[in-house]
Amino acid sequence: MTDRRAARIELSGVTKQYGAVTAVRDVSFTIAAGSLVTLLGPSGCGKTTTLRLIAGLETVTSGRIMIGGDDVTALGATDRNVSMVFQSYALFPHMSVLDNVAYGPRVGGRSRRQAAESAREALAGVGLAELADRLPSELSGGQQQRVAIARALVLEPRVLLFDEPLSNLDARLRRQMREEIRALQQRLGITVVYVTHDQEEALGVSDRIIVMNHAVVAQEGPPRDLYESPDDVFVAGFMGETNRVKGVLWRLDERTGRLTIGGLTRTVPHRGLADGTVDVAIRPEAILIVDGQPTGGALRGTVSQAAYLGSRMEYSIASEIGELFVTSPAVDAPLAPGAPVALTLASHGITLIRP
Amino acid sequence: MRDGLRRWALVWSLVGCAGLALAPWYAASDGAGPGKLQLLVPGLALLAALALRNLPLRLGRATLGLRLMVLGGGSFIYIAAQGFAIGGQPGMGLGAAVVATSLVMLFALGLAARGFFKGDAFVAGAVVVVAVLVVFFTLYPVARILLSAVQGSDGAVSGRALAERLFAAKIWRLDCLTGGRSCGVGWNTLVLALLTATTTTALGLAFALVVTRTGFKAKRLLRVLTVLPIITPPFVIGLGLILIFGRSGLVNQLMEWAFAVPPSRWIYGLPGVWLAQTLSFTPVAFLVLIGVVEGVSPSLEEASQTLRADRWQTFSRVSLPLMLPGLANAFLVGFIESIADFGNPIVLGGNFGVLSTEAFFSIVGAQLDQGRAASLGVLLLVLALGAFFVQRRVVGRKVYTAISGKGDGGRPAPLPPFVRRLAFGVALPWTMLTLSIYGMALAGGFVETWGRDYTPTLRHYAKAFSVEWGGTGIIWSGSAWRSFWTTLELASIAAPLTAALGILTAYLLVRQRFAGRAAFEFATMLSFAIPGTVIGVSYILAFNVPPIELTGTGIILIVCFVFRNMPVGLRAGVAAMSQIDGSLDEASRTLGGRSFVTLRRVILPLLRPAVVAALVYSFVRAMTTVSAVIFLVSADYDMATTYIIHRVLNGDYGVAIAYSSVLIVLMLAAIGLIQLLVGERRLRRGAPALEALPTGPIA
Ligand SMILES: Nc1ncnc2c1ncn2[C@@H]1O[C@H](COP(=O)(O)OP(=O)(O)O)[C@@H](O)[C@H]1O
Ligand SMILES: [Mg+2]
């Protein structure tokens, strides 16, 4: 059963109910072997439950789960060859770091010597070889995280699961740990499912993102697709700040259409929407503040609030098409509230939203 | 990997066969073997279970499970049914016990094979075994006592017999109000319980406020005082009170000598029992209330102060209302303790009878009326369970915890001066009284005859614990040795069993989700609420006759200890296990550890303090309990406490006091020893883990 190769994960029609609460409803998706896929969504949308269903810590109410081509729906966590890094790390507080990592091989029936040997190897893999004799309580948060990862990897699982792995770390450490996890995954080529509620983290780490909302999958795709062409209002809003405005669509061909917003026009994918008035989501960085009178027309507006955030400026701008939220990299030339501005639209970051 | 289940089925079938073939089926050793009928069914079932080994794999686990369930469950029911139905058989013995156990285990394996308990054979076995034990040793005896209470003298079941007994004039008469004889024991019990609950709650609150809300220095001393009643046999306080306030006690002698006041007997009766119970149960109320007082979030009090409330307003409008549910809980705990108490009323009650003592006298006294004992027991049970359920509802609402979110720092508000003076004014004299009673009880063992001759002597110790060297070695010639060794032996056997059963049950309740869990929890907690007297009477009724004939043996005492005290281990285990993050279990599971491995390698090591607490408590309580045991002791198995009670009833206070002191010292030693043996696991270097010792009713 020990299978060194990464495994593909397939959920079909998976539902999980706790009494009257449906935590996961009819979820289906496939995760390619050797990829890192994030489950992203607001708190309570069912991410953790989905992850625990894959781990075998919960049993499905209905549906089927396949890992590496085997139907594991009826198997318990012990028999799935799937490892998990818990949000709280779940290190055994009464065991040394080495014993924690050696736990899996030990209860799997390997000798004390063999178990300690593979544990040392795994610890070396996360750069903690010299802390083997400490107790978990004597480690920093980041070190505990690494021990948890070593403990999960020592059994060479087919799939590695992370539940909000960075939520207990401080902001500075978070980016470093995220990069380490990504590097480790690429080096070992294992399948990783990664749960987070932070869209930036998801964008930074994933091959693909599965956005969940209210117990169902809202949208699935590569990070760029989700950010730039969200399917609906929820995904658009969850992946980042957006401005929602009305526009008029005129289909040009199979794929694209001409979108008119308050005198500005852009060519965008029409996404199957009919001609006429449509909802549009515009990223704040896709609204450009221009000097003078640009060719091709502009929107007129007045700055109503301005904030300096170090790397960028944030403005609220009252315009002909409504109140707009705009970011600008031009921190050297800040605009004061009351200043009149002309606005145009970038060529990306503008999406039609299905109703 | 899942053939583990088949392997265990094979093992248990073999164990059953061995029990059938090698061990005597009946307990009585005088030859008469069981009829063929009794053995045929279980024998065939076990052989069939053995044959299941060859069941083709393709038939699947569901089929295997069904067969195991039918074979195991069916023949277990058969054994039980024929045991109850066919009269004239001797009580069942080792053989029957082994066979029954293996059949139960086969049934549990069948359940697991069919996917119950997530297919986990260990969990299935544990749940089924605990359930069967609780049914046989808690529910069945209680059913028997209920049955006895509704049976008339002719044996026929009638509601009238029950009604007559429950509402008998003797229990509910009110003569004492109209100047007649004493009131009925029902009223006595109720009034005493209400009085005791009131005083213990008030005193407990005073102590809790002193410890948590004042700069009082000797906090540790107060904490130690709370351990005293746990290691004290329940009548020691009564003895101490007699030495001080009794007819020939210090106070009466002083009054007679100084003012020629004739000695008074006020201590024997309601006032004395009330005082003794208040002394005994105040520490319990204190332990309940200290958590309550500490649970009042300081930030709420600080908020009140920043809103310009003064100390008294803050105390009366914020702190006190927040403590109300906790006070109600402490009151109910005191009420339950009081009605279940046997030791104090029997020592000090005199003509003031309560339900527990009355039940005792109607079984051992000249009346020998089991029906009456049963109905008094049922009444006691109704009161206790009623209070228990009210208490669970009060606690269940948990109004007083987690009121404001996390991250509460802040300092508790100082008490208003008036409340502060009151708390100190109550707590300090009370502490002195408690200490002097214990001092008196200890000193009483070293004088000739209290009240008449205060010559120092070791006579009482010699009488009880003398040792001689004879030709063949040591001769334990003291009169107490016999009961002493019996007590030690039975308590040592019972303690690990109790702790194991309690912790295992806690694991099942906290960590496993299965169908029927609520009923399971209810049944295990039920035995907690049953007063010891009721257990005593019901065990006599249930286990005096085959098929489970245990009276007169040491086993019945051990069984009684285990099931009386198991809830303490259970509570310690539940409390400790709820502190252990469930993700530790899950981490172990994803790393390949099955439930038993997880329990042994992850949970138990983390539970050490709870295991120690459970061991200590079950040992100590086995040594100090009176109420249930006094019904179950026999000539061969006399216990220390019952021996002492009988000395007290004979007026032989010297030996009783000497023996009690020895018990207290012994238990202190035992606690130290167990602590040392089991050790303490540190999870954090430098800071030893603080352990919270649970308490429970001591009756
Ligand atoms: N053991 C449980 N019992 C009952 N409800 C649960 C349980 N676990 C999760 N839920 C519910 O299922 C929903 C999804 O929970 P979860 O998967 O933890 O969300 P997320 O991880 O996305 O924040 C929530 O509404 C939660 O209350
Ligand atoms: Mg979650």
Side-chain angles (χ1 to χ4, degrees):
Chain A
M1 189 118 171
T2 316
D3 180 353
R4 272 170 180 274
R5 282 162 307 131
R8 176 183 136 96
I9 303 170
E10 206 178 325
L11 270 68
S12 5
V14 168
T15 295
K16 174 67 186 178
Q17 281 176 316
Y18 296 105
V21 181
T22 306
V24 172
R25 177 178 295 124
D26 194 21
V27 161
S28 305
F29 56 75
T30 304
I31 293 172
S35 65
L36 193 160
V37 173
T38 336
L39 293 173
L40 175 67
S43 166
C45 69
K47 310 176 297 284
T48 298
T49 308
T50 310
L51 199 73
R52 291 167 55 82
L53 287 167
I54 298 174
L57 293 169
E58 305 281 351
T59 40
V60 299
T61 310
S62 64
R64 197 181 54 162
I65 300 178
M66 311 267 288
I67 296 179
D70 305 326
D71 187 340
V72 298
T73 316
L75 292 187
T78 313
D79 303 317
R80 285 198 186 180
N81 197 8
V82 163
S83 281
M84 180 151 166
V85 176
F86 291 81
Q87 190 167 3
S88 59
Y89 312 144
L91 298 178
F92 305 129
H94 57 301
M95 297 183 194
S96 70
V97 164
L98 186 72
D99 288 343
N100 259 286
V101 181
Y103 181 86
R106 268 307 270 163
V107 302
R110 286 211 254 152
S111 77
R112 192 179 290 273
R113 268 261 304 285
Q114 283 175 320
E117 211 163 282
S118 25
R120 277 187 203 289
E121 228 167 82
L123 278 173
V126 294
L128 285 183
E130 69 282 13
L131 298 184
D133 295 325
R134 295 232 189 137
L135 285 175
S137 58
E138 295 164 332
L139 300 182
S140 72
Q143 290 168 332
Q144 291 184 14
Q145 171 78 273
R146 272 177 234 165
V147 175
I149 293 174
R151 187 177 69 177
L153 284 176
V154 71
L155 290 174
E156 294 171 348
R158 298 187 296 176
V159 171
L160 184 55
L161 309 175
F162 287 93
D163 190 1
E164 311 235 0
L166 310 184
S167 60
N168 290 330
L169 302 178
D170 47 43
R172 192 101 43 100
L173 208 50
R174 236 174 256 174
R175 196 170 54 89
Q176 183 194 343
M177 205 65 222
R178 187 183 81 198
E179 282 162 7
E180 271 181 42
I181 290 175
R182 179 60 163 164
L184 198 72
Q185 183 262 338
Q186 306 235 300
R187 191 172 69 206
L188 301 176
I190 51 175
T191 312
V192 168
V193 188
Y194 185 110
V195 163
T196 178
H197 64 266
D198 180 338
Q199 45 91 18
E200 224 176 88
E201 194 180 321
L203 290 173
V205 79
S206 328
D207 290 314
R208 288 175 76 79
I209 297 177
I210 299 171
V211 180
M212 292 185 69
N213 188 27
H214 291 315
V216 299
V217 172
Q219 191 178 350
E220 181 195 340
R224 182 171 276 272
D225 282 12
L226 286 176
Y227 187 78
E228 293 186 352
S229 26
D231 266 357
D232 57 23
V233 188
F234 167 76
V235 179
F238 197 77
M239 296 306 298
E241 298 277 359
T242 64
N243 294 285
R244 274 187 67 198
V245 298
K246 294 275 181 208
V248 178
L249 176 69
W250 181 263
R251 286 209 198 194
L252 296 175
D253 55 31
E254 292 295 278
R255 232 179 51 78
T256 59
R258 185 186 314 127
L259 177 65
T260 312
I261 303 170
L264 296 172
T265 44
R266 288 288 177 275
T267 304
V268 296
H270 63 60
R271 315 186 83 190
L273 292 178
D275 289 353
T277 309
V278 287
D279 279 322
V280 187
I282 310 176
R283 295 289 176 206
E285 68 275 12
I287 303 176
L288 308 174
I289 300 172
V290 287
D291 299 327
Q293 185 62 29
T295 50
L299 288 168
R300 306 240 143 253
T302 318
V303 175
S304 51
Q305 278 181 31
Y308 166 71
L309 291 175
S311 60
R312 62 178 192 277
M313 296 296 299
E314 280 187 7
Y315 297 110
S316 285
I317 295 175
S319 78
E320 308 157 28
I321 56 170
E323 188 80 14
L324 295 177
F325 175 67
V326 179
T327 59
S328 154
V331 285
D332 289 338
L335 297 165
V341 286
L343 305 170
T344 67
L345 295 176
S347 55
H348 58 81
I350 302 164
T351 327
L352 304 191
I353 297 285
R354 297 209 178 88
Chain B
M1 80 211 158
R2 285 188 284 154
D3 278 328
L5 215 137
R6 280 170 184 257
R7 205 170 62 233
W8 281 111
L10 180 66
V11 168
W12 281 110
S13 315
L14 287 172
V15 168
C17 289
L20 199 62
L22 304 177
W25 184 259
Y26 290 135
S29 50
D30 53 354
K36 289 196 185 68
L37 195 62
Q38 274 92 316
L39 295 194
L40 196 61
V41 169
L44 285 179
L46 286 168
L47 289 178
L50 269 181
L52 281 181
R53 190 163 54 106
N54 300 322
L55 188 76
L57 275 173
R58 67 182 160 73
L59 279 183
R61 283 159 67 85
T63 318
L64 175 73
L66 189 64
R67 295 188 186 185
L68 283 174
M69 282 173 65
V70 169
L71 290 174
S75 30
F76 179 80
I77 291 172
Y78 173 83
I79 292 183
Q82 64 86 18
F84 285 106
I86 304 177
Q89 301 187 70
M92 299 208 181
L94 180 64
V98 170
V99 170
T101 309
S102 63
L103 291 174
V104 164
M105 292 311 297
L106 289 176
F107 175 76
L109 288 170
L111 280 176
R114 289 190 66 80
F116 290 93
F117 307 104
K118 295 204 175 118
D120 191 316
F122 170 71
V123 174
V127 169
V128 172
V129 164
V130 174
V132 168
L133 286 175
V134 168
V135 164
F136 269 87
F137 294 113
T138 302
L139 299 186
Y140 166 61
V142 170
R144 278 308 301 258
I145 197 174
L146 289 172
L147 187 66
S148 296
V150 298
Q151 269 177 344
S153 44
D154 52 353
V157 173
S158 81
R160 260 192 60 197
L162 177 68
E164 266 171 30
R165 288 203 180 106
L166 283 190
F167 300 107
K170 197 164 177 235
I171 301 179
W172 295 112
R173 65 168 183 240
L174 278 166
D175 296 3
C176 57
L177 295 184
T178 55
R181 294 169 305 168
S182 53
C183 276
V185 289
W187 291 122
N188 287 352
T189 309
L190 272 180
V191 169
L192 175 66
L194 291 175
L195 288 173
T196 300
T198 309
T199 45
T200 52
T201 307
L203 282 163
L205 181 62
F207 277 103
L209 289 176
V210 165
V211 166
T212 55
R213 293 296 167 98
T214 66
F216 186 56
K217 293 292 183 307
K219 287 177 186 171
R220 289 194 63 90
L221 174 76
L222 283 187
R223 292 248 182 200
V224 170
L225 278 187
T226 63
V227 183
L228 273 181
I230 294 158
I231 59 164
T232 318
F235 38 77
V236 167
I237 300 246
L239 284 177
L241 283 177
I242 288 180
L243 299 186
I244 298 180
F245 299 109
R247 245 177 71 78
S248 45
L250 290 181
V251 172
N252 270 326
Q253 288 191 324
L254 191 72
M255 297 295 273
E256 198 170 4
W257 174 77
F259 309 108
V261 180
S264 138
R265 294 183 53 90
W266 66 271
I267 195 77
Y268 306 99
L270 175 64
V273 182
W274 180 21
L275 184 57
Q277 287 195 341
T278 306
L279 281 159
S280 309
F281 304 138
T282 293
V284 181
F286 166 66
L287 284 182
V288 171
L289 286 172
I290 197 163
V292 173
V293 174
E294 278 173 350
V296 173
S297 155
S299 63
L300 293 177
E301 293 178 340
E302 286 180 341
S304 162
Q305 285 174 319
T306 59
L307 296 170
R308 314 253 164 83
D310 63 25
R311 284 190 197 178
W312 170 249
Q313 284 168 322
T314 300
F315 182 75
S316 63
R317 306 221 180 162
V318 177
S319 319
L320 209 53
L322 286 172
M323 294 174 198
L324 263 188
L327 289 171
N329 182 27
F331 185 88
L332 286 162
V333 168
F335 185 89
I336 294 172
E337 298 263 14
S338 168
I339 59 174
D341 186 22
F342 177 83
N344 290 311
I346 198 147
V347 171
L348 285 170
N351 289 330
F352 178 81
V354 292
L355 285 169
S356 59
T357 50
E358 206 60 19
F360 172 66
F361 287 123
S362 51
I363 262 199
V364 299
Q367 317 173 22
L368 204 69
D369 183 350
Q370 288 198 343
R372 185 172 143 72
S375 48
L376 289 169
V378 168
L379 196 54
L380 196 50
L381 187 64
V382 170
L383 283 179
L385 288 186
F388 175 70
F389 286 122
V390 176
Q391 185 221 0
R392 296 264 297 183
R393 297 210 39 180
V394 168
V395 178
R397 267 188 274 142
K398 288 223 165 98
V399 194
Y400 50 84
T401 55
I403 298 166
S404 66
K406 55 186 171 179
D408 267 328
R411 277 200 292 153
L415 291 177
F418 160 69
V419 176
R420 186 188 150 86
R421 276 197 296 275
L422 189 69
F424 269 112
V426 168
L428 292 186
W430 192 259
T431 311
M432 301 314 297
L433 180 62
T434 309
L435 286 179
S436 54
I437 285 170
Y438 274 94
M440 224 48 87
L442 281 180
F446 294 100
V447 298
E448 209 38 65
T449 311
W450 193 270
R452 246 173 286 153
D453 179 0
Y454 288 104
T455 325
T457 176
L458 287 175
R459 186 170 65 90
H460 305 301
Y461 284 90
K463 188 171 164 201
F465 293 106
S466 60
V467 174
E468 286 164 23
W469 274 263
T472 51
I474 300 179
I475 300 172
W476 305 98
S477 51
S479 62
W481 283 120
R482 198 180 153 81
S483 61
F484 180 81
W485 291 127
T486 309
T487 306
L488 214 53
E489 178 191 340
L490 295 185
S492 313
I493 297 174
L497 292 176
T498 315
L501 190 62
I503 299 279
L504 178 65
T505 310
Y507 169 73
L508 297 175
L509 283 179
V510 176
R511 286 299 207 252
Q512 301 293 334
R513 297 279 168 272
F514 48 87
R517 183 180 162 280
F520 185 78
E521 178 175 14
F522 179 78
T524 48
M525 289 313 288
L526 190 66
S527 55
F528 196 53
I530 304 175
T533 315
V534 179
I535 291 280
V537 175
S538 61
Y539 269 37
I540 289 202
L541 295 173
F543 302 126
N544 216 1
V545 286
I548 312 178
E549 190 179 358
L550 298 173
T551 44
T553 64
I555 296 176
I556 196 169
L557 287 164
I558 292 174
V559 168
C560 174
F561 293 151
V562 170
F563 287 90
R564 289 271 301 135
N565 300 335
M566 180 262 263
V568 177
L570 176 63
R571 287 208 318 190
V574 166
M577 227 175 290
S578 316
Q579 301 290 312
I580 301 176
D581 189 355
S583 65
L584 292 186
D585 301 39
E586 290 175 346
S588 169
R589 270 164 69 197
T590 60
L591 292 170
R594 286 173 199 289
S595 54
F596 181 68
V597 172
T598 305
L599 180 62
R600 187 167 65 84
R601 284 179 178 255
V602 177
I603 299 181
L604 274 187
L606 289 171
L607 278 186
R608 254 170 213 232
V611 173
V612 177
L615 272 177
V616 168
Y617 275 78
S618 38
F619 182 81
V620 166
R621 288 176 49 124
M623 302 223 16
T624 55
T625 179
V626 176
S627 54
V629 168
I630 201 160
F631 294 89
L632 304 176
V633 290
S634 50
D636 289 338
Y637 291 95
D638 198 6
M639 298 286 292
T641 47
T642 51
Y643 178 87
I644 297 174
I645 284 273
H646 285 120
R647 297 275 72 71
V648 173
L649 294 181
N650 289 341
D652 190 357
Y653 293 132
V655 168
I657 288 168
Y659 202 162
S660 301
S661 323
V662 169
L663 282 186
I664 292 179
V665 171
L666 178 79
M667 272 170 307
L668 283 175
I671 290 176
L673 189 70
I674 294 183
Q675 285 273 19
L676 211 66
L677 285 183
V678 183
E680 181 181 308
R681 185 105 197 191
R682 286 183 186 177
L683 304 182
R684 191 181 294 277
R685 276 169 202 157
L690 273 182
E691 59 192 65
L693 294 174
T695 53
I698 299 153

